[in-house]
Amino acid sequence: MLTDNFLRKHTYLRVSVTDRCNLRCRYCMPPDGIELLPHDEILRNEEFEKIIEIFIKMGVKKIRFTGGEPLVRKGLVDIIASIHKAHPDITLCLTTNGVLLDEFMEELKSHGVSKFNISLDTLNRERFMELTGRDYFDRVLSNIEKIMQEDSLDIKINAVLLRETLSEIDDFLDYFAGKNITLRFIERMPVTEQDSSNEFVPADELIELLKAKGELVRKETEKSDVSQRFEMIYKQKFLKIGIIPPVTHKFCSSCNRLRLTSEGQLMTCLHSQAKYNLRDLIRSNVCEEDIMNYISSAVKEKWSGHKIECTADNKGCRSLTATTRAMSKIGG
Ligand code: SAM
Ligand code: SF4
């Protein structure tokens, strides 16, 4: 079991399979994109499989594939198929911007992916273009419509809370109430040095707004659940809501997550600068036991929690450990 010095047990691995993306979300990467990793620095399919296999042996039960945009990574389905074949009991999840979902949905389902998080920050086509730099709104919404037909899947729509989209809350509720999804809102986190002075919308402000729109009931959550869960009756329709407040209500003390980046680095926290190079160990044929020992010591070194500070008026925040590493390189 991957236990750290604060007795947190790590059973959830988020795997960023690529640093490439077909969108340019303003809060995630600069408009001109980021400097991309050379191909040979990115893990090959079989290297992903080997490393994931080791984490499973060490107690990981849930794996989320993310990016960049995971669906632009060639061979993603092969990696997933191989993990699912060997470990059908592992929960497989995907976080995607939805642009390519129609091309891959059937295959992903058939290889055991049961939880889909789809990012959508606006229901306005022009604003989508402004926020993401690309004109894919219709395509994403049509793919969301398609996946919502699948009753057997756990689907979450994730919107990063932005001051300029707060006015769209009614549109989100109107569109998704009564549908087969959970609507989640995420506090925007400062990740890079450029983010350091940026404003964010505190989750409590959204909760107050939602209370004014309908009946909102807070539900119990599991300890490791990062979202505050609510059930809402809105215009006589039922809707599950999740609110993820990493800035104003940090959940580090119950964190069960580890991250593997596309270049094979283990990150024990999204906001930590500590990185552990698993790629070089795999490429130099270090034995599995030594890699496991290396991972165990890395996890032991995990810090108690992130160092994001809010301004006195709670409208801005900054990370004391920001680097130049964009969120799109870590995987959210
Ligand atoms: N491309 C995929 C997508 O957009 O869903 C997966 C990668 S993306 C980095 C994963 C999630 O991180 C998305 O839901 C995105 O909105 C979120 N994200 C990116 N930058 C963020 C930030 N600064 N604060 C909070 N969430 C962020
Ligand atoms: Fe947007 Fe996801 Fe791409 Fe970042 S990685 S730019 S959040 S689509």
Side-chain angles (χ1 to χ4, degrees):
M1 182 60 86
L2 289 155
T3 309
D4 68 13
N5 282 337
F6 301 93
L7 302 181
R8 292 173 295 196
K9 297 184 186 345
H10 297 82
T11 52
Y12 179 15
L13 180 67
R14 296 175 66 100
V15 181
S16 173
V17 289
T18 179
D19 60 341
R20 272 76 173 158
C21 189
N22 43 9
L23 298 185
R24 293 283 177 275
C25 301
R26 239 172 33 200
Y27 50 76
C28 181
M29 63 158 92
D32 302 333
I34 48 167
E35 197 182 322
L36 296 174
L37 292 165
H39 276 287
D40 62 343
E41 288 190 16
I42 295 181
L43 293 180
R44 296 187 281 270
N45 288 1
E46 59 281 11
E47 293 172 333
F48 271 117
E49 287 161 25
K50 264 192 199 162
I51 296 179
I52 291 172
E53 182 73 34
I54 293 176
F55 277 99
I56 292 175
K57 284 189 184 155
M58 298 183 83
V60 160
K61 302 272 180 246
K62 174 174 165 185
I63 298 168
R64 176 172 299 282
F65 294 92
T66 173
E69 171 49 37
L71 297 180
V72 304
R73 157 84 199 204
K74 281 206 184 80
L76 172 70
V77 174
D78 300 328
I79 300 172
I80 290 178
S82 134
I83 304 289
H84 183 59
K85 191 162 175 228
H87 303 280
D89 50 328
I90 296 292
T91 306
L92 298 177
C93 324
L94 181 82
T95 296
T96 173
N97 59 32
V99 175
L100 298 172
L101 198 50
D102 50 339
E103 283 179 40
F104 293 99
M105 204 170 80
E106 285 309 316
E107 271 187 299
L108 292 168
K109 261 173 35 193
S110 72
H111 294 300
V113 181
S114 59
K115 293 177 185 282
F116 289 80
N117 288 1
I118 305 161
S119 306
L120 180 72
D121 299 330
T122 175
L123 282 165
N124 176 300
R125 189 168 173 226
E126 280 74 46
R127 188 174 275 145
F128 184 95
M129 176 83 193
E130 265 166 51
L131 289 175
T132 69
R134 299 287 184 272
D135 189 13
Y136 285 139
F137 176 72
D138 294 339
R139 201 161 155 179
V140 170
L141 208 60
S142 141
N143 286 342
I144 289 176
E145 282 296 328
K146 271 187 202 129
I147 199 167
M148 284 193 305
Q149 309 304 318
E150 305 283 341
D151 288 336
S152 61
L153 300 177
D154 175 356
I155 305 162
K156 299 194 175 80
I157 303 297
N158 283 345
V160 173
L161 266 172
L162 301 169
R163 187 67 53 202
E164 68 210 273
T165 52
L166 269 190
S167 58
E168 287 192 44
I169 293 301
D170 289 300
D171 301 337
F172 271 94
L173 297 175
D174 280 324
Y175 195 88
F176 288 110
K179 304 253 173 79
N180 164 35
I181 58 116
T182 302
L183 180 58
R184 300 203 307 181
F185 297 95
I186 309 170
E187 276 177 352
R188 178 189 171 183
M189 294 174 273
V191 179
T192 62
E193 282 146 4
Q194 290 78 4
D195 288 336
S196 58
S197 59
N198 282 338
E199 61 168 25
F200 79 109
V201 181
D204 290 351
E205 189 177 327
L206 176 72
I207 294 174
E208 286 311 307
L209 197 63
L210 289 173
K211 278 186 190 158
K213 310 269 176 207
E215 198 185 319
L216 192 70
V217 179
R218 177 101 186 238
K219 306 304 285 181
E220 286 283 304
T221 47
E222 281 173 28
K223 196 170 161 240
S224 61
D225 196 339
V226 297
S227 74
Q228 301 176 358
R229 291 187 187 220
F230 298 86
E231 287 180 359
M232 187 171 189
I233 304 293
Y234 173 78
K235 295 187 180 167
Q236 297 174 343
K237 290 185 187 157
F238 176 78
L239 179 61
K240 283 190 273 179
I241 303 244
I243 297 186
I244 307 183
V247 178
T248 56
H249 300 274
K250 73 182 201 181
F251 32 76
C252 304
S253 65
S254 56
C255 180
N256 67 346
R257 299 159 171 225
L258 296 171
R259 291 178 161 79
L260 176 67
T261 68
S262 57
E263 75 265 51
Q265 290 186 339
L266 166 64
M267 290 181 72
T268 53
C269 171
L270 183 59
H271 302 280
S272 154
Q273 289 166 8
K275 292 179 198 74
Y276 304 86
N277 187 337
L278 303 183
R279 182 190 65 206
D280 288 357
L281 298 184
I282 287 280
R283 289 194 180 167
S284 46
N285 291 321
V286 170
C287 74
E288 197 172 277
E289 196 187 336
D290 286 353
I291 299 180
M292 284 184 171
N293 288 336
Y294 181 69
I295 294 175
S296 291
S297 347
V299 172
K300 287 267 181 272
E301 286 172 17
K302 178 164 169 163
W303 65 8
S304 61
H306 70 59
K307 298 180 177 21
I308 295 175
E309 277 183 350
C310 292
T311 53
D313 62 3
N314 219 19
K315 290 192 170 140
C317 60
R318 67 188 188 116
S319 166
L320 302 183
T321 56
T323 63
T324 51
R325 198 182 179 89
M327 181 74 127
S328 59
K329 284 206 159 180
I330 317 172

